[in-house]
Amino acid sequence: NRFPALRWVGAESGFARLLLDLNRARNWQEFTGALAHYSGPGQNFVYADVDGNIGYQAAGRFPIRRTHLGDVPADGSSGNFEWDGFIPFDELQRVYNPPSGVIASANQDPFPSVYPYRVSGRFYPPYRSGQITALLSAQQGWRAMDMLKVQTDVYSAFSHRLARQFVAAYDRSGAGNSALADAAAILRTWNGQMEVEAAAPLIVSLAYEHLRRAVGERACPGKAADFTSFMVTAALERLLEERPPGWFEDWDRLLVEVLSGALEEGRRMQGRDPREWKYGRHHTLLVAHAMGHQVPVLRRHFDIGPVPMSGSPTTVKKIAAPMGYTTGPSMRLISDLADWDQSLICLVAGQSGHVLSRHYKDHWKAYYSGRAFPFRFRRVEAKHTLVIEPE
């Protein structure tokens, strides 16, 4: 008999020593020295100091796999798929004071195509990191408050490009379809902003889901529902750019059919006229209380939302809701290393999970509207102080 087995570096060590050493680090050398001893799963670490230095370091134990990526099950009994040690720390990706003056980390793949080792992981497509880099590179003299504009940016390069693909396909092969004319006109003038009051984000989001299922069904009949990897967007964009033979007989016709199906779904949801549709009616955020949400009669007292929410999985303001779950930034933090007392912070709801506490959701309005609160380090004006004296 054969039994499944799994080896994971996360089961072999923890974070305790790492966190202590990082908190004591006084410079880049001590920072990377602490990370060199980190023996958990691969993580991204970014660095900045009061002297103006910035850095990035990939750290953790990355297995060396000579014959496979480790992304699918392998025959462990053969002995051909064992780990051959770990990638040496000095050979992991790092950046220190790049000429651009910008480091952006948004869970994208940091390893280049020519990297000498095989590294697999659940990386995100490069849309968010690309937009962060573009925004930070567009101006100089950033202030802490200005960074909120970056954190709450809702431009989706992927959705914008996809919209242009639908419009081009309509122009080439679907212009005779009057039912699609309004949708094509809306997408043609759209600026790629995933705003709650706009119709275009809803049209392109519904069309994306139809396209995802069509491609997933073509790749693996009967398994289209499983085509939900983080990299689906990047894979679809590459397919649409290259349009390799053997997938679909006519890519333009596919896009027109997908757009038509999305419009039918949208009309069932929000009425006949797509010009009246609003993305926020479909894309909502629910902050569910861990315990109160489990009791139906208590949900409306404990939960926050659902509320219309801008953004998408491919925007800097990363909000994913329509897939049956809700994710978003658990905290917004802006650190001003030139003046620590100019730093800003905002939680999702508040510091207390107790619904009767005044701190249960005192951050919520600021979080929703893209504001933040002073994060004091020296000039602390506390309303209440808790003193704990050990005996």
Side-chain angles (χ1 to χ4, degrees), residues 93-114:
Q93 284 299 103
R94 71 175 60 178
V95 177
Y96 185 63
N97 286 339
S100 66
V102 172
I103 291 176
S105 178
N107 294 320
Q108 75 275 19
D109 186 353
F111 298 96
S113 58
V114 294

Side-chain angles (χ1 to χ4, degrees), residues 28 44-47 54-58 93-95 103 105 110:
W28 172 250
N44 296 305
F45 292 87
V46 290
Y47 170 90
I54 59 174
Y56 163 84
Q57 175 73 60
Q93 284 299 103
R94 71 175 60 178
V95 177
I103 291 176
S105 178

Side-chain angles (χ1 to χ4, degrees), residues 315-391:
T315 60
V316 179
K317 180 186 176 182
K318 182 180 180 294
I319 301 291
M323 297 295 291
Y325 58 90
T326 301
T327 62
S330 58
M331 176 182 70
R332 296 193 182 108
L333 172 66
I334 301 169
S335 298
D336 189 336
L337 280 78
D339 183 353
W340 286 106
D341 284 315
Q342 296 301 313
S343 300
L344 299 168
I345 191 171
C346 187
L347 306 178
V348 177
Q351 286 189 315
S352 175
H354 196 301
V355 70
L356 297 180
S357 168
R358 63 188 179 90
H359 297 300
Y360 178 61
K361 56 179 181 180
D362 53 345
H363 280 218
W364 168 247
K365 289 183 179 179
Y367 178 87
Y368 187 76
S369 61
R371 295 181 287 109
F373 300 96
F375 191 23
R376 302 300 191 193
F377 281 74
R378 299 180 182 90
R379 300 192 298 271
V380 178
E381 300 174 359
K383 292 183 178 179
H384 305 280
T385 301
L386 174 66
V387 178
I388 300 176
E389 298 181 352
E391 295 181 356

Side-chain angles (χ1 to χ4, degrees), residues 180-196:
L180 299 181
D182 287 341
I186 292 169
L187 295 180
R188 195 185 303 277
T189 59
W190 182 47
N191 60 5
Q193 300 291 325
M194 306 294 284
E195 296 285 3
V196 293

Side-chain angles (χ1 to χ4, degrees), residues 43-323:
Q43 298 284 340
N44 296 305
F45 292 87
V46 290
Y47 170 90
D49 62 34
V50 295
D51 296 319
N53 301 301
I54 59 174
Y56 163 84
Q57 175 73 60
R61 285 190 173 184
F62 293 81
I64 297 176
R65 298 181 174 98
R66 301 292 184 186
T67 59
H68 68 303
L69 282 174
D71 53 347
V72 296
D75 183 3
S77 64
S78 68
N80 297 324
F81 302 98
E82 300 300 318
W83 294 356
D84 190 10
F86 300 95
I87 300 175
F89 179 76
D90 290 340
E91 297 184 49
L92 293 175
Q93 284 299 103
R94 71 175 60 178
V95 177
Y96 185 63
N97 286 339
S100 66
V102 172
I103 291 176
S105 178
N107 294 320
Q108 75 275 19
D109 186 353
F111 298 96
S113 58
V114 294
Y115 195 62
Y117 299 98
R118 302 167 182 261
V119 179
S120 64
R122 299 188 70 190
F123 300 115
Y124 278 82
Y127 306 111
R128 298 178 65 241
S129 61
Q131 178 67 354
I132 293 170
T133 300
L135 291 170
L136 294 179
S137 303
Q139 70 176 68
Q140 301 292 326
W142 287 94
R143 299 174 303 165
M145 185 64 70
D146 297 332
M147 296 301 295
L148 284 169
K149 299 177 184 177
V150 178
Q151 294 183 342
T152 57
D153 186 83
V154 294
Y155 173 74
S156 171
F158 167 75
S159 296
H160 202 190
R161 294 169 193 165
L162 187 59
R164 290 196 289 264
Q165 289 273 5
F166 285 123
V167 171
Y170 169 80
D171 290 341
R172 287 191 292 261
S173 63
N177 188 339
S178 60
L180 299 181
D182 287 341
I186 292 169
L187 295 180
R188 195 185 303 277
T189 59
W190 182 47
N191 60 5
Q193 300 291 325
M194 306 294 284
E195 296 285 3
V196 293
E197 295 294 317
L202 176 59
I203 296 172
V204 78
S205 295
L206 294 177
Y208 161 74
E209 291 298 329
H210 283 254
L211 179 61
R212 178 186 64 82
R213 290 193 292 269
V215 172
E217 184 64 26
R218 186 68 182 87
C220 188
K223 298 293 183 180
D226 298 329
F227 189 41
T228 57
S229 164
F230 294 151
M231 294 298 290
V232 167
T233 49
L236 289 181
E237 184 170 13
R238 181 173 177 180
L239 284 171
L240 290 174
E241 288 176 351
E242 299 178 358
R243 303 197 174 193
W247 280 80
F248 299 97
E249 182 179 344
D250 187 330
W251 285 88
D252 282 345
R253 186 172 68 184
L254 168 70
L255 290 175
V256 170
E257 291 175 353
V258 161
L259 183 58
S260 180
L263 285 178
E264 290 180 10
E265 182 179 359
R267 288 188 174 104
R268 291 194 297 270
M269 294 166 51
Q270 297 195 20
R272 299 296 303 173
D273 189 352
R275 292 170 298 185
E276 300 296 323
W277 297 353
K278 297 184 185 300
Y279 178 56
R281 295 177 190 164
H282 170 70
H283 191 256
T284 59
L285 175 67
L286 172 67
V287 182
H289 190 275
M291 293 184 292
H293 182 76
Q294 309 305 318
V295 183
V297 71
L298 297 180
R299 287 178 186 171
R300 66 188 184 94
H301 301 290
F302 282 75
D303 291 352
I304 300 176
V307 296
M309 183 62 72
S310 59
S312 78
T314 55
T315 60
V316 179
K317 180 186 176 182
K318 182 180 180 294
I319 301 291
M323 297 295 291

